[in-house]
Amino acid sequence: MVGQWIVGLAFFLHTSPRYRHYKKFFYNLLENSAYPYKKYFDYFMMSLIVISVYILIRHVKHEMSEGWLFFNSYVISLIFFMEYMLRMWIYSDLSKIVIDQYEHDLFLQRSFSFRKALHKSVVNKAGYVFSLSAIIDLLAIMPFFHELRMLRIFILFRVFKLFRYTKSLTQFVSILSSKKFEIFTLGLFATVIIVVSSVLIYIMEANNPESRINTLFDAVYWSVVTIFTVGYGDFVPVTDEGRTVAMVIIFAGIAVISFATSIVVSAFTEKLDEIKEEKLIDDVSKLDRFYIICGYSSLSHEVAQRFLKSGKKVIILEKENTKVLEAQKYGFKALAMDSSSLSTYQTLKVNFEQQVESVLLFQESDVLNVYTALTVRELSASIKILSVLNQVENRRKLLLAGISEIVYTQELIGLMSKQVSGKPIAFDVINELRAEKSGVYIEEIVLDKYTCDRFFDIAHLPLFQNRLIVFGVYKTFKKVFFFNPRSNLVIDSGDVAIVIGTRALINEFKAMIYKKGNR
């Protein structure tokens, strides 16, 4: 009967929307670093820790009011106790454990084993209770029993709770934990040196009436202070033998400090790239509105630069580490991640509806663009996706994958060829460019609502009039290419101008139209 009641309660809790909502809320508040309100909770808890330690220090030589002592001993301790119980609650789902045990027994056609379910639940919760962070939390609650004066010292354990609320300290501990063997070896070496030197200095100095080292504890204290190169000078050896031991210990201390420094430096060096990537991922999850560019190439580079110049935020996803490093050299936020993998966006904690403007697929394979589009569409049905088309026969596949707009560069080239047919001068220019002679370049400039009205005015300035060629203008919406356009041609936002000139001249021209266009 009790077992059936427990199973019924487990099913009720597991299917209760209110119960699941509260549990998810407290999980986000206590554990989810991406939750917007968690930082305020962490600041609140850190403030309580600082206040508690301040009261402890102040109370040593000054009288504190009963109100402050009550607040420290009861209110703060009660808040910490509630946090401890909430963390234990969200650590695991007991209702799921009971349900799994019930379904397991039901499948084997035997009665529900409440004892096994209880054992699994206790073992599961014990995993939290005996964890280091939980032990610190429990010790921080001990000052609640303020009648035991010695327990007031446990207030200092509340300082260790800062590790839970500050990500930097947590990262520091995790970095050092990657060097467990080296730290253990260093600790073992230091312990052996301290034990041996303590015994030696005690033997050499204890029977000398002029020496202040009279007990074994004095000897251990002197050894620790010496090996870590502190040297207070309150205990010094007076015999020649003792001073010889001291010199050996000083050299050993230098070795210990050097070894410790090298461990920390090597740990940070090995984890530096990982820390940077974690920081970048954390920054991405906090961005408001940004563009995602999948694949890094010359086209991606140009588009990302133009976005940044116009004040837009861009994230580049690229699988190859060499390309990621190249993108980061130019100041782009690039991550070595697979854009076609669902886990990538789960790691980034991206909300497409609220954070992403659109997704641009510039990968060199149409297959990769299709997979990426399908993954993005699984996460958002309404997000705008733009993709380049590498092979014309794959157009239908890209459309079926849910891509909003497809750009095929060969279509623009075909329109240009059609317009310049019968114009040998134009073909001479194109052949010259293809031959890569004389440092002449051809470049597309996408015009927006600010730059389209100024384009021809800037092109007719003395600096550009006879040195920069406006090869043509492609009307995006009409899908018409105008070769050698007249200055009275109406240019609309989104049209593409094709100019020919030296790299320095083209860059200066672009800088002037963007500068004047954004005034």
Side-chain angles (χ1 to χ4, degrees), residues 49 53 136 140 154-163 169:
I49 293 170
V53 174
I136 292 174
F154 284 102
I155 289 177
L156 292 176
F157 279 94
R158 294 177 179 178
V159 176
F160 292 105
K161 284 173 67 66
L162 289 173
F163 282 91
L169 291 175

Side-chain angles (χ1 to χ4, degrees), residues 98-122:
V98 173
I99 291 171
D100 289 344
Q101 183 63 42
Y102 171 75
E103 291 178 344
H104 177 74
D105 293 338
L106 188 65
F107 178 76
L108 297 177
Q109 296 183 351
R110 63 190 184 192
S111 59
F112 170 65
S113 176
F114 173 68
R115 181 177 295 178
K116 287 185 178 179
L118 180 62
H119 178 263
K120 289 180 180 178
S121 301
V122 171

Side-chain angles (χ1 to χ4, degrees), residues 209-224:
E210 296 180 4
S211 176
R212 296 187 62 187
I213 302 175
N214 298 316
T215 65
L216 185 60
F217 181 78
D218 292 339
V220 173
Y221 169 79
W222 173 85
S223 297
V224 172

Side-chain angles (χ1 to χ4, degrees), residues 295-297 318 320-328 334 364:
Y296 184 70
S297 61
E318 170 58 59
E320 295 184 23
N321 286 322
T322 53
K323 291 185 177 181
V324 171
L325 293 174
E326 184 182 349
Q328 290 175 348
E364 297 176 354

